[in-house]
Structures are given as structure tokens and as C-alpha cells.
DNA sequence: TTGAAAGCGCTACCAT
DNA sequence: ATGGTAGCGCTTTCAA
């Protein structure tokens, strides 16, 4: 019954191999890990016995011994109440994808963390470090990990600097959100827009806060009337409805800057339903990572927050922290405005 | 310097708290875990000391003690060479999302596994079980985990039954792919289609294999000429090109059944570019989990493989295995055909 | 060349 | 009511 050998509930341990091979635990360990100075014969013998018995080292025990787990956590905190809804947004999807890939190249695995749960249940996971996206003000998760001496990288510089302090904790990546928004607005203005409306999220994420503020400032500086709709959530339907309302309302805008993730093709369709044509009739810039923005007709200008690059940077900062390397405390990125036909100068100009 | 207290590199251990509080390790453990029969005063005292010192239990040590990790792995094996590209497909995204959510409700965390890497590096992770999606024939990852006595759930019944055997290993979820394909074809035929073309993937995933075979059989039974395009990868552009080629080619089809993930709005746009109109001119069914299929004009009929439900089932099977509960060896699902306007009987009928 | 023994940090048994 | 101690399974130092 070789089958019942293997699937029997009792796992074979190092000491079992040692006994079966008639050697000590040390010898087995050395033989299997290529350590020590064993004669090739002993080594081979031990290996054979180990294989015959179907021995696999216990990962947890090695980790305890090693003092690290090569596991990093990933958490997105914005929608704390409804865990993992955000996974369906292209931005978060790409973020976790890139983080995973980056972690793997550094020899780390990624653990998807719960955003809610019994108290500080996240501390029960054997993590070497954590990447926290969109931490909330005074985030308990961040606090817990830092207090436990587990390095944290977040995407909020201000928050990281407020909490951490010493060398190995509280590093960050971040964006100049206000600057990015102004760049978009300037671009739209240069393209001839006179009434730029903004659709923003109403969450606590600093991204939305800062973006909305920047928009208002920008308008104030020019004596323009701000026209902004704040959405409670990231749903597709509410966003499209908000757009249609704006376009069908009084004093419709001649440019739209969408700050929540929205499906580009469907957005375009909604705009058309309102009898507007992009870009002749309405300039359009979206904050989305959805790759279909490239393939619509016309292609849509986007403001990208570079999930791939930033996740990679975050993981690198984290790994540096974990492995005790000093280094930069954080990295500031610039959102990338990708100008495409939806906001280019009208072809007629 | 309360700050340097907390971030100092040396983590405070249980024994440190015990010493500081003038009690034994046992008392500290009991006090903190609410075990034992300590007087409230002792308990409180110990807790205060622990808090003052910033004590956090070492997760790895507890896990070693506990004999389990409450961590399950998630791996998708189809595109082993280019890890995590698939994360951008709606199907996989929803799969990992649902699996994560389900795992969390059972008190398990999810570890995203590398699909390639130095030999059996995945065994270094302290996992209680693994969910392997699209395992390849004779998958080494599956074999390694089973050999290590770590329960595996995969989405290939045949493979699971070939490998495992005994109670705690090799459970499965699966679909009757052939049946699903035939259901779609029957539906299209009933809706009046006479030339149904299929766009399929060319990967080793049994889904593609079985689907293509079912299509060919179905055609053969009716003496129809099969018209099938096999795509090497999941890219958006190649898929759209294949569709346009089909529609512009000789003997264009009057119905299209797309078996790879494609963006619904863009697909519709491509179809229109070919001068066809859905559904009057061309019936359309897609195998996609992209939620925008609902919002296009017309909405697109889809064949859904229920990533949410199946991931949940997989996690439940896995948790049962891990916790030593006997139970069903697997669960067979039926793909769900969601008929919408894109494949309904022409309105003119 | 090999092995005994000491831990990694924690929990749980069984004395006191 | 409290604490000593054994042990989870492994690696590693050090002595033989």
C-alpha cells in the first residue's frame, strides 16, 4: 500500500528519518541541506531513506528556527467594512498582482489580509512585513504591526511619518495628488475647456480628499465655478448616473475629469447617450487603470497612478526594512498623464 | 523615549514579561490568553506589564505549538511561465477574491503562491492546505503538497482522483464543460443560428480542450462544418482580431461563441466595425465574468463558471480536509448560461 | 566524521 | 493559585 504510506495522517519527522537511517538528527539535517562535511555515501544514504519515508520538513519549525517567515502581508484599508470589494477595481487588482510578483522575485510570498475581524487577528499571521494600502487615519492595523516590531510600508507619507520613527518601520510611497490634478486641469484648459466638471469619490482616502481640494483651489485661482459630484462608493452604475446627470443638467460642462474607476467603454456609451461626442463636444480624462481605455473609440486620456511601479517600490522598501537594510524612507511618485484622443485639441482647430 | 522603546530591534518575549512582572511564563500565557484560573488582580497586573513592554506574541512560535497555521495557498497553474498574468482576467480575479473572502470567514488567510521558482520552494511556506487552479497534467506542485501530507483541492476532478486517494487529500470541484458548451450551442441553434463559429483558447487547460472537443462533436452530430479559431493566449487584441477575421472572412457566421475572456464593450465595438449588428445580424455568447456584459447595448449573454460559488466550495472542501472532517470528495457544478439580448430571438420574429 | 544538546518562543500538563 | 518543565520540529554549535 504505497498509497496509504503517503497519505497516512502522521507526518514523518526528521527524527523518524534519523532513526530509520541509523544516524542522528544532525546528520540528517546536514545531509538534506547540503551542510556539514559528510561523506557522499552517508549523505546519499540518508537522502534515500528520507525519500523512501516521504519525509518533508515542517515549514513552521524551520521558520521558527530561522526567525523569519519570508511572508509579507497585503491589506487595502479604504473600504474596511466590505472587505475585498476593491479587488474588483483594476487599480487594486494590478497593485496586488504587481506586489505579488515583486515579492516573489525577492523570495517572499504574499498573504492577503482581512481588513476586519476579531480585534487584532492579523497579528496571528506569521508575517515579516506588511504593505498597507489606503490606511485610515490612526489606522489600528498599522499601529498594531509597528508596535509588534513588524515593518510597514504604506502609501501615505504623512501617516507613515507620523507613526513610525526609527529605522526599520513606517516607510512609504506616495503621490503628489494635488499636482497631478492640476496637471490634468491645466491640460484640459489648454485644450480649450471652459467648464470642467469633476466626478470624485467621497471616501476618506486621502486621494479623494486631496484631489477635490486641489480642484477647488484651481477653480478659485481662476475665478471659475467648481462643479463637482462626490460619489459614496465605487459602483459602476452610480458613476454613470452621475455623469448623465451632469451632462443633462443645467450648464453642462465641456470637459469631464473622472476621479473614480469607471469602465471606459461604458462611460463613452453613457456620454453618447447624452448626445455628446468626444472629444469635439466634450473633453474627457479618467483616473483608471482599466486597459480598455486604450482601445475605445476614441481612446481615453488617463491619469495613471502606476500600480505596477509603485507596488514594486513598496515591496522593495519593505524587503529592505525586513532585512535590516537602511535606505530611503520612502519614494514619491508622479502620476502619469497619458494624453489620448479623448482630450486632445479638437481636430477642427 | 517611548519611541525607541517600541521600535527597538529586540522584540520582547513572553519570558521578558514574566520576569518584569515577577511571575512565571505560564502565568503570563494564561493571563494573556484568558486561560487558567488566575485571580483577576494577577491577570490585570500581567496585562499591564505586557502592554507597557509592548509585548506581542510571536506568531510562528504559536503556530509551531498549535500544529497548524490557518494559512491556505492559492495557485493558478495554467500560465506557469508568466506568473500572475491571469490575475488580470476577471475570472481569476473573482476566484481569488471569493476564495480569500471564504477563507477569512473560516479563519484562514490566503497566500498567493509562486507558480515557478527554485524547485519545490512552495513547500517552504507554512500552509495547512492549497487550492490549485488549472493544475497541469502530473502537476509537480500538486504532487509535492500531497506527498507532504498537505491537503489539496483542485478544479480538475480527473486529476484529483488520479493522484490522491485517502481521506484527507485530493478533493476537487469541477464542471461538465462539454455539457455547458452543448447547452450554449443548442440555445444558439434554437435562436436560429445556422453557422456558429467558436473562438477558443489553445492552452492546455482542460477547459479549452474539452470545450473545443464538445463543439466539434456537436457539429459532427448535425453534419455541420465546425468553424473554430484557437488563440494562443488570453490577450485582448488577438481575440478582437480573430473575431474581425472571422466576420470579414468567407462564409461569415451568424452566431459567435467566445470561449476566452474578452472585454464585452470592445467586442461589441469590433463586431460593429465589421458592419454586423447584434442580435439581429449576429448572435453572441461569451464566456466571461466581466460585469460590463450586463451594461452593454445590447447586454451580452454569458456562460458563467461561477467563480464566486466555486471558490467558496473549494475553500470549504479544503477546510474540511485540513480540519480532518470527512465529507464529500468533491463537488460538480453546472456552468450558468445567462441569456440576454445578444442571443435572444430576433425582435422581428 | 558524527552526535548530544541547546535552543527558537510558545502552550499545556502536572505538580506544588 | 502558581510555577517547573516538557515538548512542538527544526538547525547549529560544540564536543567527542
Amino acid at each position: 500500500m504505497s498509497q496509504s504510506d503517503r497519505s497516512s495522517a502522521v507526518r514523518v519527522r526528521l527524527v523518524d528519518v534519523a532513526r530509520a537511517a541509523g544516524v542522528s538528527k544532525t546528520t540528517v539535517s546536514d545531509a538534506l541541506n547540503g551542510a556539514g562535511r559528510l561523506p557522499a555515501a552517508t549523505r546519499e544514504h540518508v537522502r534515500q531513506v528520507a525519500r523512501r519515508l516521504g519525509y518533508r520538513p515542517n515549514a513552521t519549525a524551520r521558520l521558527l528556527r530561522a526567525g523569519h517567515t519570508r511572508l509579507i502581508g497585503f491589506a487595502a484599508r479604504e473600504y474596511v467594512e466590505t472587505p475585498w470589494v476593491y479587488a474588483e477595481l483594476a487599480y487594486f487588482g494590478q497593485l496586488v498582482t504587481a506586489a505579488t510578483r515583486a515579492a516573489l522575485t525577492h523570495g517572499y510570498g504574499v498573504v492577503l489580509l482581512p481588513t476586519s475581524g476579531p480585534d487584532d487577528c492579523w497579528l496571528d499571521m506569521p508575517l515579516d512585513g506588511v504593505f498597507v494600502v489606503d490606511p485610515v487615519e490612526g489606522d489600528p492595523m498599522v499601529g498594531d504591526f509597528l508596535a509588534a516590531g513588524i515593518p510597514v510600508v504604506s502609501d501615505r507619507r504623512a501617516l507613515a511619518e507620523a507613526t513610525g520613527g526609527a529605522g526599520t518601520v513606517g516607510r512609504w510611497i506616495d503621490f503628489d495628488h494635488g499636482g497631478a490634478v492640476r496637471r490634468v486641469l491645466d491640460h484640459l484648459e489648454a485644450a480649450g475647456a471652459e467648464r470642467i466638471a469633476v466626478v470624485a469619490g467621497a471616501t476618506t482616502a486621502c486621494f479623494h480628499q486631496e484631489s477635490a481640494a486641489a480642484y477647488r483651489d484651481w477653480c478659485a485661482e481662476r475665478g471659475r465655478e467648481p462643479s463637482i459630484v462626490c460619489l459614496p462608493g465605487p459602483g459602476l452604475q452610480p458613476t454613470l448616473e452621475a455623469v448623465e446627470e451632469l451632462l443633462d443638467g443645467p450648464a453642462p460642462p465641456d470637459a469631464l475629469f473622472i476621479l473614480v474607476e469607471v469602465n471606459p467603454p461604458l462611460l463613452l456609451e453613457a456620454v453618447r447617450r447624452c448626445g455628446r461626442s468626444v472629444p469635439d463636444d466634450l473633453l474627457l480624462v479618467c483616473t483608471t487603470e482599466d486597459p480598455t481605455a486604450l482601445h475605445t473609440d476614441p481612446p481615453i486620456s488617463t491619469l495613471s497612478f502606476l500600480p505596477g511601479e509603485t507596488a514594486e517600490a513598496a515591496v522593495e522598501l519593505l524587503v529592505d526594512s525586513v532585512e535590516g537594510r537602511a535606505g530611503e524612507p520612502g519614494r514619491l511618485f508622479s502620476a502619469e498623464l497619458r494624453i489620448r484622443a479623448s482630450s486632445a485639441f479638437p481636430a477642427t482647430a
Side-chain angles (χ1 to χ4, degrees), chain A:
Chain A
M1 311 291 108
S2 78
Q3 204 156 70
S4 63
D5 276 3
R6 319 215 114 207
S7 54
S8 73
V10 292
R11 283 194 56 173
V12 10
R13 300 155 306 164
L14 186 68
V15 60
D16 299 321
V17 179
R19 262 199 286 272
V23 297
S24 78
K25 293 200 299 173
T26 311
T27 306
V28 177
S29 179
D30 285 350
L32 264 27
N33 297 330
R37 301 249 142 274
L38 306 178
T42 314
R43 182 154 298 182
E44 195 45 43
H45 172 232
V46 170
R47 286 194 169 148
Q48 298 227 336
V49 173
R51 190 159 329 118
R52 181 163 55 72
L53 262 42
Y55 167 72
R56 304 293 160 140
N58 176 303
T60 311
R62 325 181 77 167
L63 296 181
L64 176 60
R65 191 74 244 287
H68 61 248
T69 63
R70 295 273 120 97
L71 245 31
I72 65 183
F74 179 99
R77 302 281 292 163
E78 181 172 348
Y79 308 106
V80 172
E81 298 314 319
T82 48
W84 297 110
V85 293
Y86 55 79
E88 275 142 32
L89 300 180
Y91 176 71
F92 287 104
Q94 291 178 226
L95 209 57
V96 51
T97 300
T100 303
R101 196 169 355 217
L104 292 176
T105 70
H106 290 274
Y108 286 74
V110 169
V111 180
L112 269 18
L113 257 35
T115 49
S116 59
D119 215 27
D120 41 8
C121 63
W122 38 71
L123 286 179
D124 292 343
M125 315 212 140
L127 304 176
D128 279 350
V130 208
F131 178 23
V132 179
V133 180
D134 284 342
V136 296
E137 203 73 39
D139 200 306
M141 183 185 265
V142 172
D144 282 346
F145 278 116
L146 289 180
I150 294 171
V152 172
V153 168
S154 76
D155 60 350
R156 283 195 63 180
R157 174 181 191 163
L159 211 140
E161 289 178 339
T163 334
T168 59
V169 292
R171 305 200 190 188
W172 49 266
I173 56 165
D174 211 340
F175 285 94
D176 172 15
H177 293 117
V181 166
R182 304 177 83 89
R183 222 159 347 118
V184 171
L185 296 171
D186 287 342
H187 160 64
L188 287 172
E189 186 178 46
E194 294 186 345
R195 271 190 56 78
I196 306 174
V198 161
V199 177
T203 72
T204 60
C206 72
F207 163 60
H208 292 307
Q209 310 275 7
E210 291 179 12
S211 304
Y215 171 62
R216 292 209 173 84
D217 288 351
W218 187 89
C219 288
E221 286 161 19
R222 285 159 183 74
R224 291 188 177 203
E225 192 64 29
S227 161
I228 182 166
V229 183
C230 286
L231 263 29
L236 177 59
Q237 211 55 54
T239 309
L240 295 181
E241 279 165 20
V243 167
E244 295 189 27
E245 208 165 303
L246 266 173
L247 295 182
D248 288 338
D254 56 4
L256 221 45
F257 179 22
I258 314 268
L259 278 159
V260 295
E261 282 254 15
V262 66
N263 184 267
L266 292 181
L267 172 62
L268 231 33
E269 224 169 80
V271 169
R272 284 198 193 109
R273 270 201 301 276
C274 296
R276 310 291 294 264
S277 127
V278 176
D280 309 309
D281 214 12
L282 182 78
L283 301 175
L284 199 56
V285 175
C286 291
T287 300
T288 184
E289 307 299 334
D290 192 319
T292 60
L294 270 156
H295 298 105
T296 50
D297 180 22
I300 297 184
S301 299
T302 60
L303 182 66
S304 167
F305 286 91
L306 314 170
E309 279 180 52
T310 56
E312 209 170 300
V315 167
E316 263 159 34
L317 286 163
L318 196 50
V319 169
D320 279 350
S321 285
V322 168
E323 299 180 356
R325 277 189 293 282
E328 2 152 56
R331 276 178 64 184
L332 196 60
F333 287 84
S334 242
E336 199 172 286
L337 174 55
R338 294 169 180 157
I339 299 176
R340 298 195 262 260
S342 76
S343 68
F345 292 81
T348 54

